[in-house]
Amino acid sequence: KMHAMNGAACACGKVHSFSADVVVGKGVIAQLPNFVHKFQAKKPFVVSDVNTYPAAGEQVCRILSESGIAYRSYSFPSASLEPDEHSVGSVMMHYDNSCDLIIAVGSGVVNDVSKILSNISGKPYIIVGTAPSMDGYASASSSMTRDGLKISLPSRSADVIIGDTNILCQAPMHMMKAGLGDMIAKY
């Protein structure tokens, strides 16, 4: 249905378009190697954090290994990850320049920081979502804190969005509630 709306006139008067591949459903994470091959990537860089690595990052790494795809990974070690200069600097300092694709495993902060990394490195970007409670997966900006002020930084939207419902349904309830509150506030 989303592709049918692509390039169509919107009630707001604009024409919205996107080119991301969006796959949602049970077990769709297994399609990850197909997307790695689509970009002819030889060595993805996998980004996660202490919460999203056990939720799906470990599974992503296992799928890549079982498919014979070499990769490097970085998992933010802090449970209180903030979307700020420190997290961007940390992922940049751990980034392996021989990597040719960014795969983020997470939602909010991991997604926003990884979109910035993808934009700066010029590498394609895949997000494996871990929570259905936010709309930033397809956004071309990153919600960040710079010099203590919350801003939207131009970054890039994902080339592929993977929403495996087996993973998404395991998101903590407090994230679901926060996402609902975010949607109501935007409306």
Side-chain angles (χ1 to χ4, degrees):
K1 182 174 177 174
M2 290 174 60
H3 288 287
M5 298 183 311
N6 192 19
C10 179
C12 76
K14 295 181 181 178
V15 174
H16 304 283
S17 64
F18 62 93
S19 59
D21 287 309
V22 180
V23 291
V24 178
K26 285 185 174 225
V28 296
I29 193 170
Q31 296 178 31
L32 182 60
N34 299 337
F35 290 111
V36 172
H37 295 308
K38 175 185 175 179
F39 293 106
Q40 300 176 344
K42 303 292 182 222
K43 188 177 180 185
F45 184 70
V46 180
V47 181
S48 62
D49 68 17
V50 296
N51 297 310
T52 65
Y53 183 79
E58 189 173 14
Q59 189 175 359
V60 164
C61 293
R62 185 176 61 253
I63 289 169
L64 294 174
S65 292
E66 290 172 355
S67 299
I69 300 169
Y71 67 90
R72 298 288 288 201
S73 69
Y74 173 63
S75 185
F76 288 100
S78 175
S80 59
L81 185 61
E82 293 294 326
D84 58 15
E85 299 94 332
H86 181 266
S87 58
V88 171
S90 182
V91 77
M92 293 295 296
M93 291 178 72
H94 288 90
Y95 177 68
D96 180 339
N97 284 323
S98 68
C99 291
D100 51 3
L101 173 71
I102 311 297
I103 301 173
V105 181
S107 58
V109 178
V110 170
N111 181 50
D112 284 332
V113 170
S114 297
K115 288 190 296 186
I116 290 174
L117 174 62
S118 172
N119 191 44
I120 291 171
S121 69
K123 305 301 182 205
Y125 177 57
I126 297 173
I127 177 67
V128 176
T130 58
S133 54
M134 62 93 184
D135 62 357
Y137 295 129
S139 173
S141 64
S142 292
S143 182
M144 303 296 293
T145 303
R146 182 178 65 192
D147 298 327
L149 180 66
K150 195 73 163 181
I151 61 168
S152 287
L153 278 180
S155 56
R156 67 170 291 166
S157 57
D159 297 290
V160 178
I161 302 168
I162 297 176
D164 191 314
T165 55
N166 291 332
I167 296 166
L168 295 172
C169 72
Q170 299 299 317
M173 186 53 70
H174 72 274
M175 291 182 74
M176 306 286 195
K177 291 176 182 176
L180 175 62
D182 191 34
M183 287 187 339
I184 291 170
K186 285 180 180 175
Y187 180 74

